[in-house]
Amino acid sequence: ETTDEISRIFDALCEPITYKAHRVDVSVSMGVTVFTPGTGELTEILREADIALYKAKSDGRGRWAYYDAILGAAHASRLLLEAEVKQAIVERQFLLHYQPRIDLATGRIVSAEALVRWHHPKRGMVSPGEFIPLCEETGMIIDLGRWVLEEGCRRAIEWDKAGLDMAISLNLSPRQFEDPSLMEDLAGFSALPGFPHGKIELEITEGVLIGSDDEIEHKLEELEDMGFRVAIDDFGTGYSNLAYISRFPVHCLKMDMSFVSQLPESGPIVRRILSLASQLKTLVVAEGVETPEQNRWLQEHGCDQVQGFYHQRPVPLDEFLAIVTERAR
Ligand code: C2E
Ligand code: MG
Ligand code: MG
């Protein structure tokens, strides 16, 4: 009954308006909560309605959502996480783990992907899946991402100075890529003494390139000029229109792990990705290699490099260096 009532109000609000002979379409998102006179504060009710409105919007807009205790709790824990991440950025509770990338022709570790971890004072090590999406949404990714880039660049400089022939890959989120301060930051890092040209790769996702314009093309060219390489992360999960990719200066395709995990059934599509990479003369890396069978299949079909638990999980810096040293012997 209440639901019918709400729908009636909602539908009425959605009606187009006529203004000076123009039809104006309106789109409505609505948050609903119940107020029992004599209980609670009005401000509390508005807060609840606002939380429900937020839910309606994040569910795709043009709809209404109802406030309940579960929604309230989810909102509270989100706020807590947001405050904690903010503090964590200031207190530098983040660190990078490194996952080796192996060249299939030589069996050597040629590169490392830096993956951010949050050393939470109470919860211990928290994985990026738990906070990167929130950081993306709130814009906190800009500060966190800048730290990752600086840390990664400094590491690459250090390795190069020490005579270690090791590339490094850093993840860039879409929001970070769009941020005007990114190019300035990267220009600064590339001007650091001892910056190793061509040794630092930036991973972006396909979404960044889709429907894009000259501005993005220009940005990628600028990155190349600064001495960064560009990789497409999770390649194959976005769009199957492959034409767009030849437009851009891309150095590496990182095939998404969903293709690798379905080998050999996914063989035809993996073959197509490999042949595309060879036509474009880009390096191709398979992610998420977990079994010797997957590794062999990829080796036999001309994949350049692999990364995955079969070879090594992401590990802290000192452990990564120990593995590299051990292997060199
Ligand atoms: P990604 O860039 O695609 O990184 C690969 C993810 O796959 C990592 O998860 C890695 O631990 C995991 N992985 C590697 N090998 C295997 C395997 O054999 N099997 C399986 N099942 N998983 C494997 P992680 O570290 O949890 O990172 C998740 C995502 O978080 C990353 O996906 C990346 O999108 C994002 N991320 C991590 N660090 C950063 C960062 O510094 N900045 C930004 N913007 N995003 C980051
Ligand atoms: Mg990545
Ligand atoms: Mg990936």
Side-chain angles (χ1 to χ4, degrees):
E1 195 190 329
T2 333
T3 306
D4 286 350
E5 193 89 341
I6 296 167
S7 290
R8 218 166 43 78
I9 297 170
F10 185 80
D11 292 344
L13 288 170
C14 290
E15 283 293 310
I17 301 164
T18 310
Y19 178 72
K20 289 187 181 165
H22 291 290
R23 179 187 147 118
V24 182
D25 288 312
V26 287
S27 82
V28 180
S29 302
M30 192 164 86
V32 184
T33 191
V34 175
F35 179 55
T36 317
T39 66
E41 295 286 326
L42 192 59
T43 51
E44 178 63 13
I45 294 306
L46 288 173
R47 201 185 65 85
E48 289 177 6
D50 198 45
I51 291 169
L53 174 61
Y54 181 85
K55 164 91 169 125
K57 284 183 179 169
S58 66
D59 281 352
R61 298 171 179 270
R63 63 189 73 200
W64 60 270
Y66 205 88
Y67 179 85
D68 62 22
I70 295 171
L71 196 57
H75 183 77
S77 73
R78 203 191 115 95
L79 283 184
L80 175 68
L81 184 65
E82 196 177 325
E84 281 188 323
V85 171
K86 239 176 227 162
Q87 195 184 358
I89 293 173
V90 175
E91 292 183 3
R92 300 189 172 261
Q93 291 169 8
F94 294 99
L95 69 160
L96 297 179
H97 278 187
Y98 297 84
Q99 185 176 36
R101 219 157 88 177
I102 284 93
D103 182 278
L104 280 174
T106 62
R108 286 190 47 215
I109 299 175
V110 286
S111 180
E113 177 170 10
L115 294 157
V116 72
R117 299 288 181 266
W118 178 11
H119 192 105
H120 190 283
K122 291 198 193 85
R123 289 161 63 198
M125 218 53 94
V126 184
S127 65
E130 286 191 49
F131 58 91
I132 293 280
L134 177 78
C135 289
E136 266 278 299
E137 249 179 78
T138 56
M140 294 189 291
I141 193 71
I142 305 297
D143 284 340
L144 177 59
R146 185 183 295 118
W147 176 82
V148 170
L149 291 175
E150 176 162 9
E151 180 75 9
C153 289
R154 291 198 184 281
R155 201 60 64 210
I157 291 170
E158 191 182 289
W159 290 350
D160 195 58
K161 264 190 193 149
L164 186 62
D165 187 17
M166 186 69 60
I168 196 167
S169 270
L170 306 168
N171 290 283
L172 274 186
S173 82
R175 178 120 179 211
Q176 216 182 338
F177 191 78
E178 284 162 19
D179 190 73
S181 65
L182 175 77
M183 300 308 278
E184 221 175 288
D185 290 341
L186 288 173
F189 302 143
S190 73
L192 289 169
F195 178 83
H197 241 247
K199 278 288 175 70
I200 303 174
E201 185 176 81
L202 304 174
E203 298 189 2
I204 58 176
T205 45
E206 273 174 279
V208 167
L209 303 182
I210 302 299
S212 64
D213 44 23
D214 298 342
E215 201 186 313
I216 293 194
E217 194 174 344
H218 180 71
K219 245 187 198 181
L220 294 177
E221 277 160 7
E222 233 179 297
L223 288 178
E224 195 177 34
D225 291 343
M226 287 179 198
F228 292 101
R229 292 164 53 92
V230 172
I232 308 297
D233 202 358
D234 307 337
F235 184 74
T237 54
Y239 294 74
S240 47
N241 173 13
L242 304 172
Y244 77 91
I245 204 131
S246 58
R247 245 185 86 184
F248 301 106
V250 164
H251 305 94
C252 172
L253 301 181
K254 295 192 81 177
M255 190 183 354
D256 190 66
M257 59 176 92
S258 56
F259 302 113
V260 177
S261 68
Q262 281 161 43
L263 281 173
E265 289 76 24
S266 59
I269 187 158
V270 173
R271 270 202 208 92
R272 282 192 57 192
I273 293 175
L274 294 175
S275 92
L276 173 77
S278 109
Q279 277 167 40
L280 296 173
K281 299 189 172 60
T282 59
L283 193 78
V284 62
V285 183
E287 282 196 278
V289 177
E290 293 184 345
T291 69
E293 291 78 19
Q294 291 164 355
N295 198 68
R296 195 174 330 109
W297 195 100
L298 291 160
Q299 194 160 26
E300 282 167 0
H301 290 81
C303 182
D304 298 312
Q305 299 180 3
V306 288
Q307 181 180 335
F309 295 170
Y310 170 63
H311 290 279
Q312 184 64 56
R313 286 178 179 263
V315 290
L317 177 64
D318 50 353
E319 219 172 301
F320 174 74
L321 291 175
I323 291 164
V324 172
T325 319
E326 177 63 30
R327 281 245 195 160
R329 275 208 248 112

